Amino acid sequence: MRNLSRKSSLGGSTTIMSIGAVLMGLSASVFAIDMPAYFNARNELQTAVDAAALAGAAELPDGEAYAEDAAYDLASANPVAGIQLDESNLGYKSSQSKFTVTGQVEVPTIVGKFVCALSGKLAGRKQDGEAQDGDAQGAA
């Protein structure tokens, strides 16, 4: 009688390659979901601080307190990645005819912090935005 059980000549390499392919696919899918969410949050934050800077600049002739209130009202009406902007992540600076708004928000990412760390940026999960309006007399 012949021996019906033969051992594969490939051994365990097929299993290892299959596991590697699955891990690569999962990594690619996390990357494909995570990075667009990160960059979308960056765009939302930039839009929010741009609008807040314009609103604050429009109120700057009435005083800095009015400008900050207008900027806060508009920035808080525009959530970034589902996070409501408040006094803890907004900053204001004004001079004679300039009103600058800065914003910072923690973006919940999985691989974003590692990609940004590799690219040389210090804070991979924090997203900063800054905008200023150079002409406080212009209509917003």
Side-chain angles (χ1 to χ4, degrees), residues 12-28:
S13 64
T14 306
T15 305
I16 293 172
M17 288 176 56
S18 298
I19 291 172
V22 168
L23 289 176
M24 295 270 297
L26 287 174
S27 299

Side-chain angles (χ1 to χ4, degrees), residues 3-54:
N3 188 1
L4 296 176
S5 65
R6 290 186 183 176
K7 286 192 172 186
S8 173
S9 62
L10 296 177
S13 64
T14 306
T15 305
I16 293 172
M17 288 176 56
S18 298
I19 291 172
V22 168
L23 289 176
M24 295 270 297
L26 287 174
S27 299
S29 64
V30 166
F31 189 76
I33 293 169
D34 199 29
M35 293 312 294
Y38 180 77
F39 289 115
N40 185 43
R42 183 178 70 176
N43 290 340
E44 287 177 353
L45 181 62
Q46 188 65 50
T47 301
V49 296
D50 283 345
L54 288 172

Side-chain angles (χ1 to χ4, degrees), residues 27-91:
S27 299
S29 64
V30 166
F31 189 76
I33 293 169
D34 199 29
M35 293 312 294
Y38 180 77
F39 289 115
N40 185 43
R42 183 178 70 176
N43 290 340
E44 287 177 353
L45 181 62
Q46 188 65 50
T47 301
V49 296
D50 283 345
L54 288 172
E59 296 293 326
L60 195 55
D62 296 335
E64 288 183 26
Y66 291 109
E68 289 181 10
D69 287 342
Y72 174 75
D73 290 342
L74 197 60
S76 64
N78 294 305
V80 176
I83 301 168
Q84 191 72 26
L85 295 174
D86 59 14
E87 294 293 332
S88 66
N89 49 13
L90 288 173

